[in-house]
Amino acid sequence: MSEIPASAPLAAGAVPSKATLGKATVAALVVAAIILVTIVLPAEYGIDPIGFGAATGLIGLSQTTPPPIVASESGPVRPQPADYKVDTRRFSLEPFGGYVEYKYELEAGATMLYTWTATGEINFDFHTEPEGLPPSASDSFERGTAREGRGSYTAPYTGIHGWFWENDEEDAVTVTVTTAGFYSVAKEFRDDGTTAEYPVQAVVPPALLSPAP
Amino acid sequence: MNSRTRVMLSLVACVLIAALWPDTAAAHGVSARDADFVQTITGMAIGPFLYLGAKHMVTGYDHLLFLVGVIFFLYRLKDVLLYVSLFTLGHSLTLLGGVLGNVPANAHLIDAVIGLSVVYKAFENMGGFERLGIHPDTRAAVMVFGLFHGFGLATKLQELALPQNGLVANIVSFNIGVELGQFLALTAILIALTYWRTRVGFLAHAFATNTALMMGGFILMGYQLTGYMLE
């Protein structure tokens, strides 16, 4: 091993000629430009001036189109695993951190429609607790801060599925939720540590309306 | 070694590095999953921000390339500590100041300057300034580019729209995490460089390696400037 200079830039003898320096700098620039045009720009931005990105499939990295919706085998009609239920409930959330969790037991493939409104902005988190799995297996599907929400939900697996609502503001907030779907039990978890379970009755059809004459 | 061999070696090194460089093109921001997590934070979260800071540094090839350039010819631990401290001082100032002062900055432009810092340092290591007969202060350069690296970190944090609650503790945690990550990365780089220096090939390939480093800087610049123009 040869003696190594103590510190600082290249040893004096190693300072390259201007020509070498220029060539190396140009080489670095040219190779960088080639890599940018052939690889980086197609993959990152979908800019593909010489078509290398398309030829190698790199261009696909820049296109984040969602996968197409595939119709289920049974077509647009989906039979449901439980009785049809309707449920409405109202909760009062204390200011500065009052919260409630309200969830339904849904089997895999069961659907519900929902709408909820609050008297003020609240944080919400639609999440799940898969049956027989630890809390870490929970999935969170929608989160944010809002006064209302509505939509439909089809359970990807059996478990309990529903909302966490939290009031961060300085005034109490009332949240009202109405759902219709094919669930069984509804469960409530309050910020004071209490839990409640509400058996939801199947909808009894109202007296048959006879068709207009 | 004659100049033609040098240039050839530089080219080979460039192509090799480009070929082996994993995921050259990935945007170096905060991953979507980490960003999602940060959105759920409503107060002080020291642990997660320490981790995010360290992860940002360890996986941040732009910062790492610059550090490789900075310590490439630093043989004494004293010098390594001096230059790394200057870099740390620079990026901490703008990281804390940028986020707390909510300084608006364009992430693409800042990242392009970070790319330029790699080019600059590589050129210096190639003996470029010496050949041109100019002698910019190497310590001042590291400090000034450190300011831009810190700004780059700040723009990434600002994109996350951090909650005001616990902001200072979270940013300081992120900053400390950055230093921990930098320490880990530096240790690995130093071990590799120290081993390489015991080989005869080190000085012979130093020029080619720094040419490759320069190319990396040019790629970062082109990538970020394109991103800026597309905005």
Side-chain angles (χ1 to χ4, degrees), chain B residues 63 90-99 102-107 110-111 114 144-158:
Chain B
H63 311 302
H91 72 228
S92 297
L93 273 176
T94 42
L95 167 58
L96 296 174
V99 180
N102 207 10
V103 180
N106 183 285
I110 297 288
D111 283 351
I114 292 175
V144 169
F145 282 125
L147 293 173
F148 283 97
H149 282 253
F151 241 134
L153 295 165
T155 55
K156 305 301 179 313
L157 272 185
Q158 284 170 332

Side-chain angles (χ1 to χ4, degrees), chain A residues 25-116:
Chain A
T25 306
V26 170
L29 249 179
V30 169
V31 177
I34 292 171
I35 291 170
L36 271 171
V37 168
T38 55
I39 299 169
V40 179
L41 299 187
E44 290 297 321
Y45 303 122
I47 302 173
D48 195 16
I50 63 163
F52 187 78
T56 53
L58 280 172
I59 197 131
L61 290 169
S62 65
Q63 291 151 356
T64 50
T65 45
I69 295 166
V70 181
S72 69
E73 274 181 45
S74 56
V77 174
R78 279 172 174 272
Q80 294 287 327
D83 285 333
Y84 177 58
K85 317 275 178 13
V86 174
D87 184 33
T88 291
R89 223 158 282 276
R90 177 166 290 168
F91 307 100
S92 180
L93 303 182
E94 296 297 321
F96 301 118
Y99 70 82
V100 65
E101 280 191 65
Y102 192 63
K103 302 199 191 88
Y104 295 99
E105 268 187 9
L106 289 166
E107 281 182 46
T111 297
M112 67 171 177
L113 301 174
Y114 64 86
T115 175
W116 62 267

Side-chain angles (χ1 to χ4, degrees), chain B residues 75-117:
Chain B
Y75 291 85
R76 289 181 302 197
L77 195 58
K78 200 184 78 175
D79 290 326
V80 174
L81 287 176
L82 171 70
Y83 278 83
V84 170
S85 303
L86 285 170
F87 182 61
T88 300
L89 179 67
H91 72 228
S92 297
L93 273 176
T94 42
L95 167 58
L96 296 174
V99 180
L100 293 177
N102 207 10
V103 180
N106 183 285
H108 283 302
L109 287 182
I110 297 288
D111 283 351
V113 176
I114 292 175
L116 177 68
S117 73

Side-chain angles (χ1 to χ4, degrees), chain A residues 16-26, chain B residues 3-4 7 131 207:
Chain A
S17 70
K18 268 191 187 164
T20 307
L21 199 58
K23 279 184 205 163
T25 306
V26 170
Chain B
S3 66
R4 178 171 295 174
V7 172
R131 168 54 62 206
F207 186 82

